[in-house]
PDB file of all heavy atoms in Angstrom:
ATOM      1  N   ASN A 104     -10.372  10.340  11.320  1.00 79.00           N
ATOM      2  CA  ASN A 104     -11.781  10.649  11.122  1.00 79.00           C
ATOM      3  C   ASN A 104     -12.123  12.092  11.467  1.00 79.00           C
ATOM      4  O   ASN A 104     -13.020  12.677  10.858  1.00 79.00           O
ATOM      5  CB  ASN A 104     -12.647   9.692  11.938  1.00 79.00           C
ATOM      6  CG  ASN A 104     -12.624   8.279  11.394  1.00 79.00           C
ATOM      7  OD1 ASN A 104     -12.356   8.057  10.216  1.00 79.00           O
ATOM      8  ND2 ASN A 104     -12.925   7.315  12.248  1.00 79.00           N
ATOM      9  N   ASP A 105     -11.432  12.666  12.445  1.00 81.00           N
ATOM     10  CA  ASP A 105     -11.726  14.046  12.815  1.00 81.00           C
ATOM     11  C   ASP A 105     -11.309  15.028  11.730  1.00 81.00           C
ATOM     12  O   ASP A 105     -11.794  16.160  11.698  1.00 81.00           O
ATOM     13  CB  ASP A 105     -11.089  14.407  14.153  1.00 81.00           C
ATOM     14  CG  ASP A 105      -9.591  14.196  14.181  1.00 81.00           C
ATOM     15  OD1 ASP A 105      -9.062  13.506  13.286  1.00 81.00           O
ATOM     16  OD2 ASP A 105      -8.938  14.718  15.104  1.00 81.00           O
ATOM     17  N   LEU A 106     -10.420  14.598  10.839  1.00 82.00           N
ATOM     18  CA  LEU A 106     -10.006  15.421   9.711  1.00 82.00           C
ATOM     19  C   LEU A 106     -10.627  14.950   8.398  1.00 82.00           C
ATOM     20  O   LEU A 106     -10.350  15.526   7.349  1.00 82.00           O
ATOM     21  CB  LEU A 106      -8.483  15.417   9.577  1.00 82.00           C
ATOM     22  CG  LEU A 106      -7.690  16.006  10.740  1.00 82.00           C
ATOM     23  CD1 LEU A 106      -6.196  15.876  10.482  1.00 82.00           C
ATOM     24  CD2 LEU A 106      -8.070  17.464  10.966  1.00 82.00           C
ATOM     25  N   ASN A 107     -11.459  13.909   8.460  1.00 88.00           N
ATOM     26  CA  ASN A 107     -12.118  13.346   7.281  1.00 88.00           C
ATOM     27  C   ASN A 107     -11.106  12.989   6.198  1.00 88.00           C
ATOM     28  O   ASN A 107     -11.341  13.222   5.008  1.00 88.00           O
ATOM     29  CB  ASN A 107     -13.164  14.314   6.730  1.00 88.00           C
ATOM     30  CG  ASN A 107     -14.238  14.644   7.729  1.00 88.00           C
ATOM     31  OD1 ASN A 107     -14.758  13.759   8.410  1.00 88.00           O
ATOM     32  ND2 ASN A 107     -14.592  15.920   7.821  1.00 88.00           N
ATOM     33  N   THR A 108      -9.990  12.407   6.614  1.00 93.00           N
ATOM     34  CA  THR A 108      -8.897  12.170   5.689  1.00 93.00           C
ATOM     35  C   THR A 108      -8.400  10.730   5.753  1.00 93.00           C
ATOM     36  O   THR A 108      -8.248  10.164   6.835  1.00 93.00           O
ATOM     37  CB  THR A 108      -7.726  13.125   5.969  1.00 93.00           C
ATOM     38  OG1 THR A 108      -8.197  14.474   5.930  1.00 93.00           O
ATOM     39  CG2 THR A 108      -6.641  12.956   4.923  1.00 93.00           C
ATOM     40  N   LEU A 109      -8.157  10.169   4.589  1.00 96.00           N
ATOM     41  CA  LEU A 109      -7.573   8.855   4.416  1.00 96.00           C
ATOM     42  C   LEU A 109      -6.155   9.028   3.890  1.00 96.00           C
ATOM     43  O   LEU A 109      -5.900   9.899   3.053  1.00 96.00           O
ATOM     44  CB  LEU A 109      -8.404   8.043   3.422  1.00 96.00           C
ATOM     45  CG  LEU A 109      -7.856   6.690   2.972  1.00 96.00           C
ATOM     46  CD1 LEU A 109      -7.960   5.677   4.107  1.00 96.00           C
ATOM     47  CD2 LEU A 109      -8.602   6.209   1.733  1.00 96.00           C
ATOM     48  N   TYR A 110      -5.228   8.178   4.350  1.00 97.00           N
ATOM     49  CA  TYR A 110      -3.841   8.279   3.942  1.00 97.00           C
ATOM     50  C   TYR A 110      -3.328   6.953   3.392  1.00 97.00           C
ATOM     51  O   TYR A 110      -3.803   5.887   3.758  1.00 97.00           O
ATOM     52  CB  TYR A 110      -2.946   8.681   5.117  1.00 97.00           C
ATOM     53  CG  TYR A 110      -3.291  10.008   5.739  1.00 97.00           C
ATOM     54  CD1 TYR A 110      -4.073  10.067   6.889  1.00 97.00           C
ATOM     55  CD2 TYR A 110      -2.840  11.192   5.186  1.00 97.00           C
ATOM     56  CE1 TYR A 110      -4.394  11.282   7.466  1.00 97.00           C
ATOM     57  CE2 TYR A 110      -3.155  12.413   5.757  1.00 97.00           C
ATOM     58  CZ  TYR A 110      -3.929  12.451   6.894  1.00 97.00           C
ATOM     59  OH  TYR A 110      -4.253  13.655   7.469  1.00 97.00           O
ATOM     60  N   LEU A 111      -2.342   7.055   2.529  1.00 98.00           N
ATOM     61  CA  LEU A 111      -1.588   5.896   2.080  1.00 98.00           C
ATOM     62  C   LEU A 111      -0.116   6.276   2.091  1.00 98.00           C
ATOM     63  O   LEU A 111       0.319   7.100   1.283  1.00 98.00           O
ATOM     64  CB  LEU A 111      -2.010   5.443   0.681  1.00 98.00           C
ATOM     65  CG  LEU A 111      -1.309   4.183   0.174  1.00 98.00           C
ATOM     66  CD1 LEU A 111      -1.771   2.961   0.974  1.00 98.00           C
ATOM     67  CD2 LEU A 111      -1.569   3.970  -1.317  1.00 98.00           C
ATOM     68  N   GLN A 112       0.632   5.693   3.018  1.00 98.00           N
ATOM     69  CA  GLN A 112       2.064   5.907   3.082  1.00 98.00           C
ATOM     70  C   GLN A 112       2.748   4.828   2.247  1.00 98.00           C
ATOM     71  O   GLN A 112       2.597   3.640   2.530  1.00 98.00           O
ATOM     72  CB  GLN A 112       2.558   5.847   4.528  1.00 98.00           C
ATOM     73  CG  GLN A 112       4.051   6.036   4.696  1.00 98.00           C
ATOM     74  CD  GLN A 112       4.507   7.433   4.334  1.00 98.00           C
ATOM     75  OE1 GLN A 112       3.861   8.405   4.725  1.00 98.00           O
ATOM     76  NE2 GLN A 112       5.591   7.547   3.594  1.00 98.00           N
ATOM     77  N   MET A 113       3.483   5.242   1.238  1.00 98.00           N
ATOM     78  CA  MET A 113       4.157   4.326   0.337  1.00 98.00           C
ATOM     79  C   MET A 113       5.660   4.486   0.512  1.00 98.00           C
ATOM     80  O   MET A 113       6.187   5.596   0.417  1.00 98.00           O
ATOM     81  CB  MET A 113       3.763   4.596  -1.115  1.00 98.00           C
ATOM     82  CG  MET A 113       2.259   4.573  -1.359  1.00 98.00           C
ATOM     83  SD  MET A 113       1.834   4.790  -3.108  1.00 98.00           S
ATOM     84  CE  MET A 113       2.367   6.488  -3.349  1.00 98.00           C
ATOM     85  N   THR A 114       6.340   3.384   0.758  1.00 98.00           N
ATOM     86  CA  THR A 114       7.786   3.391   0.927  1.00 98.00           C
ATOM     87  C   THR A 114       8.427   2.410  -0.036  1.00 98.00           C
ATOM     88  O   THR A 114       7.763   1.545  -0.601  1.00 98.00           O
ATOM     89  CB  THR A 114       8.180   3.030   2.372  1.00 98.00           C
ATOM     90  OG1 THR A 114       7.721   1.709   2.680  1.00 98.00           O
ATOM     91  CG2 THR A 114       7.566   4.007   3.365  1.00 98.00           C
ATOM     92  N   SER A 115       9.731   2.553  -0.199  1.00 97.00           N
ATOM     93  CA  SER A 115      10.492   1.669  -1.088  1.00 97.00           C
ATOM     94  C   SER A 115       9.815   1.527  -2.443  1.00 97.00           C
ATOM     95  O   SER A 115       9.611   0.422  -2.949  1.00 97.00           O
ATOM     96  CB  SER A 115      10.679   0.293  -0.434  1.00 97.00           C
ATOM     97  OG  SER A 115      11.357   0.406   0.800  1.00 97.00           O
ATOM     98  N   LEU A 116       9.485   2.638  -3.036  1.00 98.00           N
ATOM     99  CA  LEU A 116       8.729   2.639  -4.286  1.00 98.00           C
ATOM    100  C   LEU A 116       9.497   1.952  -5.410  1.00 98.00           C
ATOM    101  O   LEU A 116      10.725   2.054  -5.500  1.00 98.00           O
ATOM    102  CB  LEU A 116       8.377   4.059  -4.694  1.00 98.00           C
ATOM    103  CG  LEU A 116       7.254   4.710  -3.877  1.00 98.00           C
ATOM    104  CD1 LEU A 116       7.205   6.208  -4.129  1.00 98.00           C
ATOM    105  CD2 LEU A 116       5.912   4.072  -4.234  1.00 98.00           C
ATOM    106  N   LYS A 117       8.734   1.264  -6.240  1.00 97.00           N
ATOM    107  CA  LYS A 117       9.270   0.560  -7.391  1.00 97.00           C
ATOM    108  C   LYS A 117       8.620   1.094  -8.661  1.00 97.00           C
ATOM    109  O   LYS A 117       7.538   1.683  -8.618  1.00 97.00           O
ATOM    110  CB  LYS A 117       9.000  -0.949  -7.276  1.00 97.00           C
ATOM    111  CG  LYS A 117       9.513  -1.583  -6.005  1.00 97.00           C
ATOM    112  CD  LYS A 117       9.088  -3.037  -5.926  1.00 97.00           C
ATOM    113  CE  LYS A 117       9.580  -3.699  -4.662  1.00 97.00           C
ATOM    114  NZ  LYS A 117       9.138  -5.119  -4.569  1.00 97.00           N
ATOM    115  N   ALA A 118       9.252   0.855  -9.782  1.00 96.00           N
ATOM    116  CA  ALA A 118       8.709   1.313 -11.054  1.00 96.00           C
ATOM    117  C   ALA A 118       7.315   0.749 -11.299  1.00 96.00           C
ATOM    118  O   ALA A 118       6.454   1.432 -11.866  1.00 96.00           O
ATOM    119  CB  ALA A 118       9.645   0.928 -12.202  1.00 96.00           C
ATOM    120  N   GLU A 119       7.068  -0.480 -10.862  1.00 95.00           N
ATOM    121  CA  GLU A 119       5.774  -1.101 -11.067  1.00 95.00           C
ATOM    122  C   GLU A 119       4.661  -0.507 -10.204  1.00 95.00           C
ATOM    123  O   GLU A 119       3.496  -0.871 -10.358  1.00 95.00           O
ATOM    124  CB  GLU A 119       5.851  -2.620 -10.838  1.00 95.00           C
ATOM    125  CG  GLU A 119       6.488  -3.006  -9.517  1.00 95.00           C
ATOM    126  CD  GLU A 119       7.954  -3.373  -9.660  1.00 95.00           C
ATOM    127  OE1 GLU A 119       8.674  -2.652 -10.388  1.00 95.00           O
ATOM    128  OE2 GLU A 119       8.379  -4.381  -9.062  1.00 95.00           O
ATOM    129  N   ASP A 120       5.008   0.413  -9.300  1.00 97.00           N
ATOM    130  CA  ASP A 120       3.998   1.130  -8.527  1.00 97.00           C
ATOM    131  C   ASP A 120       3.390   2.286  -9.317  1.00 97.00           C
ATOM    132  O   ASP A 120       2.441   2.919  -8.848  1.00 97.00           O
ATOM    133  CB  ASP A 120       4.593   1.673  -7.227  1.00 97.00           C
ATOM    134  CG  ASP A 120       5.019   0.567  -6.279  1.00 97.00           C
ATOM    135  OD1 ASP A 120       4.326  -0.458  -6.204  1.00 97.00           O
ATOM    136  OD2 ASP A 120       6.059   0.738  -5.613  1.00 97.00           O
ATOM    137  N   THR A 121       3.936   2.569 -10.482  1.00 97.00           N
ATOM    138  CA  THR A 121       3.416   3.645 -11.317  1.00 97.00           C
ATOM    139  C   THR A 121       1.972   3.355 -11.717  1.00 97.00           C
ATOM    140  O   THR A 121       1.679   2.313 -12.304  1.00 97.00           O
ATOM    141  CB  THR A 121       4.282   3.824 -12.564  1.00 97.00           C
ATOM    142  OG1 THR A 121       5.598   4.238 -12.179  1.00 97.00           O
ATOM    143  CG2 THR A 121       3.689   4.874 -13.493  1.00 97.00           C
ATOM    144  N   ALA A 122       1.070   4.272 -11.396  1.00 98.00           N
ATOM    145  CA  ALA A 122      -0.352   4.090 -11.669  1.00 98.00           C
ATOM    146  C   ALA A 122      -1.104   5.333 -11.229  1.00 98.00           C
ATOM    147  O   ALA A 122      -0.548   6.212 -10.564  1.00 98.00           O
ATOM    148  CB  ALA A 122      -0.896   2.864 -10.934  1.00 98.00           C
ATOM    149  N   VAL A 123      -2.373   5.389 -11.602  1.00 98.00           N
ATOM    150  CA  VAL A 123      -3.281   6.363 -11.018  1.00 98.00           C
ATOM    151  C   VAL A 123      -3.870   5.735  -9.768  1.00 98.00           C
ATOM    152  O   VAL A 123      -4.404   4.623  -9.818  1.00 98.00           O
ATOM    153  CB  VAL A 123      -4.396   6.769 -11.993  1.00 98.00           C
ATOM    154  CG1 VAL A 123      -5.370   7.738 -11.318  1.00 98.00           C
ATOM    155  CG2 VAL A 123      -3.806   7.412 -13.240  1.00 98.00           C
ATOM    156  N   TYR A 124      -3.782   6.431  -8.656  1.00 98.00           N
ATOM    157  CA  TYR A 124      -4.275   5.927  -7.384  1.00 98.00           C
ATOM    158  C   TYR A 124      -5.599   6.590  -7.040  1.00 98.00           C
ATOM    159  O   TYR A 124      -5.726   7.815  -7.079  1.00 98.00           O
ATOM    160  CB  TYR A 124      -3.251   6.179  -6.276  1.00 98.00           C
ATOM    161  CG  TYR A 124      -2.077   5.237  -6.337  1.00 98.00           C
ATOM    162  CD1 TYR A 124      -1.126   5.354  -7.347  1.00 98.00           C
ATOM    163  CD2 TYR A 124      -1.933   4.213  -5.400  1.00 98.00           C
ATOM    164  CE1 TYR A 124      -0.063   4.471  -7.426  1.00 98.00           C
ATOM    165  CE2 TYR A 124      -0.868   3.335  -5.475  1.00 98.00           C
ATOM    166  CZ  TYR A 124       0.067   3.465  -6.487  1.00 98.00           C
ATOM    167  OH  TYR A 124       1.122   2.588  -6.556  1.00 98.00           O
ATOM    168  N   TYR A 125      -6.583   5.761  -6.693  1.00 98.00           N
ATOM    169  CA  TYR A 125      -7.929   6.223  -6.383  1.00 98.00           C
ATOM    170  C   TYR A 125      -8.297   5.883  -4.947  1.00 98.00           C
ATOM    171  O   TYR A 125      -7.991   4.792  -4.470  1.00 98.00           O
ATOM    172  CB  TYR A 125      -8.958   5.553  -7.291  1.00 98.00           C
ATOM    173  CG  TYR A 125      -8.786   5.816  -8.767  1.00 98.00           C
ATOM    174  CD1 TYR A 125      -7.998   4.988  -9.552  1.00 98.00           C
ATOM    175  CD2 TYR A 125      -9.427   6.890  -9.380  1.00 98.00           C
ATOM    176  CE1 TYR A 125      -7.844   5.219 -10.909  1.00 98.00           C
ATOM    177  CE2 TYR A 125      -9.279   7.120 -10.730  1.00 98.00           C
ATOM    178  CZ  TYR A 125      -8.489   6.286 -11.496  1.00 98.00           C
ATOM    179  OH  TYR A 125      -8.346   6.516 -12.839  1.00 98.00           O
ATOM    180  N   CYS A 126      -8.969   6.801  -4.274  1.00 98.00           N
ATOM    181  CA  CYS A 126      -9.574   6.468  -2.998  1.00 98.00           C
ATOM    182  C   CYS A 126     -11.051   6.191  -3.212  1.00 98.00           C
ATOM    183  O   CYS A 126     -11.665   6.694  -4.154  1.00 98.00           O
ATOM    184  CB  CYS A 126      -9.365   7.566  -1.951  1.00 98.00           C
ATOM    185  SG  CYS A 126     -10.056   9.183  -2.352  1.00 98.00           S
ATOM    186  N   ALA A 127     -11.620   5.373  -2.340  1.00 97.00           N
ATOM    187  CA  ALA A 127     -13.002   4.966  -2.472  1.00 97.00           C
ATOM    188  C   ALA A 127     -13.627   4.806  -1.093  1.00 97.00           C
ATOM    189  O   ALA A 127     -12.937   4.509  -0.122  1.00 97.00           O
ATOM    190  CB  ALA A 127     -13.107   3.650  -3.253  1.00 97.00           C
ATOM    191  N   SER A 128     -14.944   4.977  -1.032  1.00 94.00           N
ATOM    192  CA  SER A 128     -15.657   4.826   0.229  1.00 94.00           C
ATOM    193  C   SER A 128     -16.939   4.047   0.033  1.00 94.00           C
ATOM    194  O   SER A 128     -17.510   4.011  -1.055  1.00 94.00           O
ATOM    195  CB  SER A 128     -15.959   6.194   0.849  1.00 94.00           C
ATOM    196  OG  SER A 128     -16.926   6.895   0.091  1.00 94.00           O
ATOM    197  N   ALA A 129     -17.390   3.419   1.109  1.00 93.00           N
ATOM    198  CA  ALA A 129     -18.641   2.684   1.120  1.00 93.00           C
ATOM    199  C   ALA A 129     -19.247   2.754   2.510  1.00 93.00           C
ATOM    200  O   ALA A 129     -18.545   2.542   3.504  1.00 93.00           O
ATOM    201  CB  ALA A 129     -18.421   1.224   0.716  1.00 93.00           C
ATOM    202  N   TYR A 130     -20.545   3.043   2.564  1.00 90.00           N
ATOM    203  CA  TYR A 130     -21.224   3.041   3.849  1.00 90.00           C
ATOM    204  C   TYR A 130     -21.166   1.631   4.420  1.00 90.00           C
ATOM    205  O   TYR A 130     -21.413   0.648   3.715  1.00 90.00           O
ATOM    206  CB  TYR A 130     -22.668   3.490   3.685  1.00 90.00           C
ATOM    207  CG  TYR A 130     -23.427   3.583   4.984  1.00 90.00           C
ATOM    208  CD1 TYR A 130     -23.111   4.545   5.932  1.00 90.00           C
ATOM    209  CD2 TYR A 130     -24.470   2.702   5.259  1.00 90.00           C
ATOM    210  CE1 TYR A 130     -23.798   4.625   7.126  1.00 90.00           C
ATOM    211  CE2 TYR A 130     -25.164   2.776   6.450  1.00 90.00           C
ATOM    212  CZ  TYR A 130     -24.824   3.744   7.385  1.00 90.00           C
ATOM    213  OH  TYR A 130     -25.517   3.827   8.568  1.00 90.00           O
ATOM    214  N   ALA A 131     -20.828   1.528   5.708  1.00 92.00           N
ATOM    215  CA  ALA A 131     -20.603   0.229   6.312  1.00 92.00           C
ATOM    216  C   ALA A 131     -21.140   0.180   7.724  1.00 92.00           C
ATOM    217  O   ALA A 131     -21.230   1.200   8.415  1.00 92.00           O
ATOM    218  CB  ALA A 131     -19.109  -0.105   6.315  1.00 92.00           C
ATOM    219  N   SER A 132     -21.482  -1.024   8.149  1.00 92.00           N
ATOM    220  CA  SER A 132     -21.847  -1.255   9.535  1.00 92.00           C
ATOM    221  C   SER A 132     -20.597  -1.291  10.388  1.00 92.00           C
ATOM    222  O   SER A 132     -19.487  -1.513   9.894  1.00 92.00           O
ATOM    223  CB  SER A 132     -22.620  -2.568   9.671  1.00 92.00           C
ATOM    224  OG  SER A 132     -23.822  -2.535   8.933  1.00 92.00           O
ATOM    225  N   TYR A 133     -20.784  -1.109  11.667  1.00 92.00           N
ATOM    226  CA  TYR A 133     -19.649  -1.055  12.584  1.00 92.00           C
ATOM    227  C   TYR A 133     -18.788  -2.316  12.516  1.00 92.00           C
ATOM    228  O   TYR A 133     -17.559  -2.239  12.605  1.00 92.00           O
ATOM    229  CB  TYR A 133     -20.147  -0.842  14.007  1.00 92.00           C
ATOM    230  CG  TYR A 133     -19.058  -0.728  15.042  1.00 92.00           C
ATOM    231  CD1 TYR A 133     -18.381   0.474  15.230  1.00 92.00           C
ATOM    232  CD2 TYR A 133     -18.712  -1.823  15.832  1.00 92.00           C
ATOM    233  CE1 TYR A 133     -17.386   0.586  16.176  1.00 92.00           C
ATOM    234  CE2 TYR A 133     -17.712  -1.713  16.783  1.00 92.00           C
ATOM    235  CZ  TYR A 133     -17.052  -0.518  16.959  1.00 92.00           C
ATOM    236  OH  TYR A 133     -16.064  -0.418  17.902  1.00 92.00           O
ATOM    237  N   SER A 134     -19.423  -3.469  12.349  1.00 92.00           N
ATOM    238  CA  SER A 134     -18.704  -4.733  12.382  1.00 92.00           C
ATOM    239  C   SER A 134     -18.204  -5.196  11.019  1.00 92.00           C
ATOM    240  O   SER A 134     -17.552  -6.239  10.925  1.00 92.00           O
ATOM    241  CB  SER A 134     -19.594  -5.829  12.978  1.00 92.00           C
ATOM    242  OG  SER A 134     -20.771  -6.003  12.213  1.00 92.00           O
ATOM    243  N   ASP A 135     -18.493  -4.462   9.957  1.00 95.00           N
ATOM    244  CA  ASP A 135     -18.070  -4.880   8.626  1.00 95.00           C
ATOM    245  C   ASP A 135     -16.554  -4.825   8.507  1.00 95.00           C
ATOM    246  O   ASP A 135     -15.938  -3.804   8.817  1.00 95.00           O
ATOM    247  CB  ASP A 135     -18.680  -3.989   7.551  1.00 95.00           C
ATOM    248  CG  ASP A 135     -20.152  -4.257   7.334  1.00 95.00           C
ATOM    249  OD1 ASP A 135     -20.661  -5.288   7.801  1.00 95.00           O
ATOM    250  OD2 ASP A 135     -20.805  -3.413   6.680  1.00 95.00           O
ATOM    251  N   PRO A 136     -15.942  -5.901   8.010  1.00 97.00           N
ATOM    252  CA  PRO A 136     -14.499  -5.883   7.803  1.00 97.00           C
ATOM    253  C   PRO A 136     -14.146  -5.048   6.579  1.00 97.00           C
ATOM    254  O   PRO A 136     -15.013  -4.763   5.747  1.00 97.00           O
ATOM    255  CB  PRO A 136     -14.160  -7.359   7.579  1.00 97.00           C
ATOM    256  CG  PRO A 136     -15.403  -7.920   6.958  1.00 97.00           C
ATOM    257  CD  PRO A 136     -16.541  -7.199   7.629  1.00 97.00           C
ATOM    258  N   PRO A 137     -12.892  -4.660   6.427  1.00 97.00           N
ATOM    259  CA  PRO A 137     -12.508  -3.911   5.225  1.00 97.00           C
ATOM    260  C   PRO A 137     -12.696  -4.766   3.982  1.00 97.00           C
ATOM    261  O   PRO A 137     -12.412  -5.963   3.991  1.00 97.00           O
ATOM    262  CB  PRO A 137     -11.033  -3.587   5.469  1.00 97.00           C
ATOM    263  CG  PRO A 137     -10.578  -4.612   6.458  1.00 97.00           C
ATOM    264  CD  PRO A 137     -11.765  -4.881   7.338  1.00 97.00           C
ATOM    265  N   MET A 138     -13.176  -4.156   2.895  1.00 97.00           N
ATOM    266  CA  MET A 138     -13.461  -4.864   1.663  1.00 97.00           C
ATOM    267  C   MET A 138     -12.355  -4.640   0.649  1.00 97.00           C
ATOM    268  O   MET A 138     -11.805  -3.548   0.543  1.00 97.00           O
ATOM    269  CB  MET A 138     -14.800  -4.415   1.075  1.00 97.00           C
ATOM    270  CG  MET A 138     -15.991  -4.628   1.990  1.00 97.00           C
ATOM    271  SD  MET A 138     -16.342  -3.199   3.079  1.00 97.00           S
ATOM    272  CE  MET A 138     -16.943  -2.007   1.899  1.00 97.00           C
TER     273      MET A 138
END
């Protein structure tokens, strides 16, 4: 959060992982679980 950055570490990549990857955000309450 201090760097305002989201990460996705992907390992053991497969051909079926080929895609366009998008990040997304939503304003949330403190107790809201990940959607």
